[in-house]
Amino acid sequence: NRGDVTNAQTASFNDSTWRGLTLPHDWSIELPFNKSSSAGSGGGYLDGGIGWYRKTFTLDSSYANKRILIRFDGAYMNSQVWVNGTSLGIRPYGYISFEYDITSNVTVDGTPNVIAVKLNNNQPTSRWYSGSGIYRNVWLLALNPVHIPSNGVFLTTPTVSSTSASITVSTDVQNQSTSSQSATVTTTIYDASGASVATNTSAASTIAANATSTVSQSLTVANPQLWSTTSPTLYQ
């Protein structure tokens, strides 16, 4: 819904007259060009303003022992997010991904859950066209209590040559259960064809309840295909 709406964050709000759409979405690009727009030339003379999104979904009992997160790859801008009427937070600006843990806010018995998002593109905001809305994908994540958190893997390549590459991997393992847990980390590197070229499984480590531990590993790739602009080979 374009424009502000009172109480649209509540679960019982009637959104039956709102437009249905599939994300990603940009409402500014749908508007006519406006030479008087406060966006100016940097914003393409396309208006911003306030917009709301709502999503209703259900979770069954198979999610009861999971950590449930909602991840936004991009929302422009100044987002406010609610789940079932509870405010999750405010994300200033709009050029970065963000997520919320909604485990304690959702029901897992098949009754409806509602996510509401309010965006305010208060123009002028940018030196170039930014658009308005949830302009990238949104993900609902269901994780085991012991898991790798977002951005929890960090790789470096201390030495690289045409005959050998050494890789150092640091992996955060988070334990959000109520007791200590034993965990191992397996890291596998695949070449561009999908073939495994290196793998390593760590020794078991004990992670305390509600704690995060970092597991370090070392791998070696023989005869690596070195990346360049003329040969942009990527490993996974």
Side-chain angles (χ1 to χ4, degrees):
N1 183 83
R2 278 197 64 226
D4 205 359
V5 182
T6 302
N7 296 324
Q9 76 276 13
T10 61
S12 59
F13 180 86
N14 182 1
D15 58 14
S16 61
T17 61
W18 288 21
R19 171 189 172 191
L21 52 80
T22 299
L23 299 178
H25 173 247
D26 169 14
W27 77 70
S28 289
I29 202 68
E30 299 173 341
L31 301 176
F33 293 103
N34 174 14
K35 66 181 180 180
S36 300
S37 174
S38 57
S41 60
Y45 296 106
L46 288 166
D47 293 331
I50 293 175
W52 282 85
Y53 296 83
R54 284 169 56 91
K55 169 71 176 179
T56 301
F57 64 100
T58 58
L59 300 173
D60 60 32
S61 58
S62 65
Y63 292 86
N65 296 315
K66 304 286 188 178
R67 303 298 303 186
I68 311 298
L69 289 79
I70 182 78
R71 178 183 296 166
F72 294 82
D73 284 351
Y76 202 88
M77 60 179 282
N78 299 322
S79 68
Q80 296 176 260
V81 182
W82 295 262
V83 169
N84 295 330
T86 298
S87 175
L88 301 180
I90 298 172
R91 182 72 197 185
Y93 215 42
Y95 287 132
I96 196 168
S97 60
F98 58 96
E99 68 182 23
Y100 296 105
D101 188 326
I102 60 174
T103 307
S104 62
N105 306 111
V106 294
T107 61
V108 291
D109 58 3
T111 57
N113 296 286
V114 178
I115 294 176
V117 181
K118 178 182 179 180
L119 301 173
N120 183 6
N121 185 356
N122 187 15
Q123 295 172 322
T125 63
S126 182
R127 293 171 294 159
W128 48 75
Y129 179 75
S130 63
S132 303
I134 303 179
Y135 66 92
R136 289 184 177 168
N137 289 326
V138 179
W139 307 96
L140 188 71
L141 308 178
L143 306 177
N144 290 321
V146 179
H147 57 266
I148 299 171
S150 296
N151 302 316
V153 182
F154 188 74
L155 287 82
T156 58
T157 51
T159 58
V160 177
S161 71
S162 60
T163 58
S164 181
S166 61
I167 297 98
T168 299
V169 184
S170 295
T171 304
D172 292 337
V173 181
Q174 187 173 18
N175 176 15
Q176 290 187 290
S177 71
T178 57
S179 61
S180 62
Q181 301 288 328
S182 177
T184 61
V185 173
T186 297
T187 301
T188 303
I189 297 176
Y190 300 91
D191 66 15
S193 70
S196 171
V197 294
T199 190
N200 178 287
T201 298
S202 71
S205 58
T206 300
I207 306 168
N210 295 312
T212 300
S213 294
T214 301
V215 177
S216 297
Q217 296 169 284
S218 296
L219 300 91
T220 300
V221 174
N223 304 313
Q225 299 297 306
L226 304 183
W227 190 94
S228 72
T229 54
T230 55
S231 180
T233 301
L234 294 178
Y235 288 81
Q236 298 186 51

